[in-house]
Amino acid sequence: DRERFQKLISKLKLKQPPNRTARSASKALAQAAEIGYPLVVRPSYVLGGRAMEIVHEQSELERYMREAVKVSNDSPVLLDRFLNDATEVDVDAICDGKDVLIGGIMEHIEQAGVHSGDSACSLPPFSLTPEVQHELRKQTIAMAHALKVVGLMNVQFAIQNGVIYVLEVNPRASRTVPFVSKATGLALAKIAARCMIGTSLAAQGSLAEVVPPYFSVKEAVFPFIKFPGADTILGPEMKSTGEVMGVGATFGEAFFKSQLAAGDRLPQSGKVFVSVRDADKPATLHIARELAALGFQLIATRGTAAALAAGGLAVTPINKVAEGRPHVVDMIKNGDVVLIVNTVEEKRTAVRDSYVIRRAALQARITLYTTLAGARAACTGMQQAGELKAYEVQGMHGRLAAAVR
């Protein structure tokens, strides 16, 4: 299937991340050297990102092939070059064999590498340019025609440095269909079913994409509190068990509401704990400045504190657990921290060492962001939320006639 898809992508002159299909452990190591690290590795026979990992070096791939999967001619392992700092996008569409209806373009808030089922997303996109959105539509339509789809289709894209890559195409309904339908007022499943029994989009009067004049944000809901030992770090393996939706006049308002619905409260004042990996420290400065402007006090582990102080911010250093008491977990348990931003290196040792912080936050019901993208969106939410309003969904749908493309 992958080989046929690669031929299709090549024929349409689209782009994919470099990838290979390995049918033995030795082949996997050789092919990984060809396309380079980091890699997204996954079995070809599972759904929901089960057993999917990002590996950064040969020793991690060797462990993965030895411990995580069974690989053979009948059960190959898929290797894809991981796109660092890329924006992921979902597009839902319906094709009747002739025309294509774009149901919705959803920009993920978390960066590529977080499973699409675990990432929050915004419809319409909150940062993609009109030119990029036009190209996403164009590529989606081309693939729908090439695959001869009749019914629903979902495409996942990644955008890195302005270049659009096709991650996967599924000629079926996706988990985002209910969200898109609620956000746009289009009954996508009903429209698709009618196409599948021979009623065209034109006959249904469903040729025009609806781009709402308001924002809808889908957020994932996680069961971590119910499972002792579970870690809140997000990755390519899906962990969520549900989702909620927030609607607002701005992206910030919609995101703020989605956090409330998911059970995470964004505070108005207090101490924010920040501890990020070295690669994230430059980008963290902007987030920290926004938090300070909102009136929050910053505390951080020593390395992060030094980076923030060098950027001109007032910050109080705090001990890691291994550095002795009083340390950050003591502050979390004492209720002295209201919000946490914590990113770690993907290596297992780094994740294990910082696990106690995330678990303490979970037990104390403190809102925690393990990606900078999530923390950045939270800042936007706190800036733009203002006085929250309740909107009647039917009333929002009534405004959509003017938004039909």
Side-chain angles (χ1 to χ4, degrees), residues 2 11 64 96 140 162 172 183 214 219 244 248 253-254 266 274 284 290 320 335 380 392:
R2 171 169 279 210
K11 180 180 177 181
Y64 179 86
D96 62 7
T140 298
R172 56 164 172 78
Y214 52 84
E219 179 59 282
V244 294
E253 181 187 3
L266 293 177
V274 184
T284 304
E290 291 188 342
K320 296 179 181 178
T380 303
E392 182 188 39

Side-chain angles (χ1 to χ4, degrees), residues 200-218:
S200 69
L201 289 168
Q204 296 184 58
S206 299
L207 290 173
E209 177 186 355
V210 172
V211 181
Y214 52 84
F215 286 87
S216 299
V217 171
K218 182 212 79 173

Side-chain angles (χ1 to χ4, degrees), residues 61-140:
L61 182 58
E62 289 173 344
R63 177 208 43 86
Y64 179 86
M65 300 302 295
R66 182 174 62 250
E67 300 176 4
V69 297
K70 177 182 73 175
V71 59
S72 68
N73 281 329
D74 295 328
S75 303
V77 167
L78 308 181
L79 311 175
D80 293 85
R81 184 74 163 83
F82 176 63
L83 302 175
N84 289 303
D85 301 318
T87 299
E88 196 161 335
V89 180
D90 263 86
V91 179
D92 279 338
I94 298 172
C95 183
D96 62 7
K98 176 187 176 185
D99 295 311
V100 178
L101 167 67
I102 301 296
I105 299 175
M106 293 153 277
E107 180 180 356
H108 289 211
I109 291 164
E110 283 75 20
Q111 69 276 10
V114 174
H115 192 280
S116 60
D118 288 351
S119 179
C121 67
S122 173
L123 191 162
F126 61 94
S127 73
L128 300 182
T129 65
E131 293 76 19
V132 167
Q133 294 183 54
H134 174 75
E135 183 61 26
L136 292 170
R137 294 183 181 99
K138 181 180 174 182
Q139 293 191 18
T140 298

Side-chain angles (χ1 to χ4, degrees), residues 17-282:
N19 59 78
R20 298 288 188 276
T21 301
R23 291 180 166 80
S24 70
S26 59
K27 284 280 189 182
L29 295 174
Q31 291 171 341
E34 290 175 12
I35 60 178
Y37 295 90
L39 292 170
V40 179
V41 291
R42 55 181 167 156
S44 59
Y45 48 86
V46 297
L47 294 173
R50 181 70 180 147
M52 185 186 292
E53 288 188 25
I54 299 172
V55 300
H56 293 80
E57 55 191 34
Q58 181 173 320
S59 61
E60 292 182 10
L61 182 58
E62 289 173 344
R63 177 208 43 86
Y64 179 86
M65 300 302 295
R66 182 174 62 250
E67 300 176 4
V69 297
K70 177 182 73 175
V71 59
S72 68
N73 281 329
D74 295 328
S75 303
V77 167
L78 308 181
L79 311 175
D80 293 85
R81 184 74 163 83
F82 176 63
L83 302 175
N84 289 303
D85 301 318
T87 299
E88 196 161 335
V89 180
D90 263 86
V91 179
D92 279 338
I94 298 172
C95 183
D96 62 7
K98 176 187 176 185
D99 295 311
V100 178
L101 167 67
I102 301 296
I105 299 175
M106 293 153 277
E107 180 180 356
H108 289 211
I109 291 164
E110 283 75 20
Q111 69 276 10
V114 174
H115 192 280
S116 60
D118 288 351
S119 179
C121 67
S122 173
L123 191 162
F126 61 94
S127 73
L128 300 182
T129 65
E131 293 76 19
V132 167
Q133 294 183 54
H134 174 75
E135 183 61 26
L136 292 170
R137 294 183 181 99
K138 181 180 174 182
Q139 293 191 18
T140 298
I141 291 168
M143 286 184 280
H145 286 147
L147 290 168
K148 298 180 170 56
V149 171
V150 177
L152 276 158
M153 176 178 116
N154 171 265
V155 188
Q156 292 178 23
F157 295 97
I159 304 169
Q160 184 189 55
N161 300 323
V163 180
I164 297 174
Y165 296 89
V166 180
L167 298 182
E168 61 180 73
V169 183
N170 297 299
R172 56 164 172 78
S174 75
R175 68 176 62 82
T176 52
V177 165
F179 166 67
V180 177
S181 297
K182 182 80 76 171
T184 64
L186 294 175
L188 296 184
K190 183 182 290 186
I191 295 169
R194 287 172 174 163
C195 287
M196 294 170 74
I197 61 171
T199 306
S200 69
L201 289 168
Q204 296 184 58
S206 299
L207 290 173
E209 177 186 355
V210 172
V211 181
Y214 52 84
F215 286 87
S216 299
V217 171
K218 182 212 79 173
E219 179 59 282
V221 177
F222 298 93
F224 298 128
I225 193 65
K226 297 179 181 179
F227 295 95
D231 197 344
T232 59
I233 283 280
L234 301 180
E237 186 170 4
M238 185 174 169
K239 297 179 179 179
S240 61
T241 52
E243 60 189 32
V244 294
M245 173 175 161
V247 177
T250 64
F251 166 72
E253 181 187 3
F255 183 81
F256 193 101
K257 288 179 177 178
S258 75
Q259 302 308 285
L260 290 178
D264 294 322
R265 290 198 164 271
L266 293 177
Q268 296 181 330
S269 62
K271 293 178 180 177
V272 177
F273 171 69
V274 184
S275 179
V276 298
R277 59 183 183 172
D278 288 342
D280 288 339
K281 285 172 183 172

Side-chain angles (χ1 to χ4, degrees), residues 192 257 338 391:
K257 288 179 177 178
V338 297
Y391 300 107

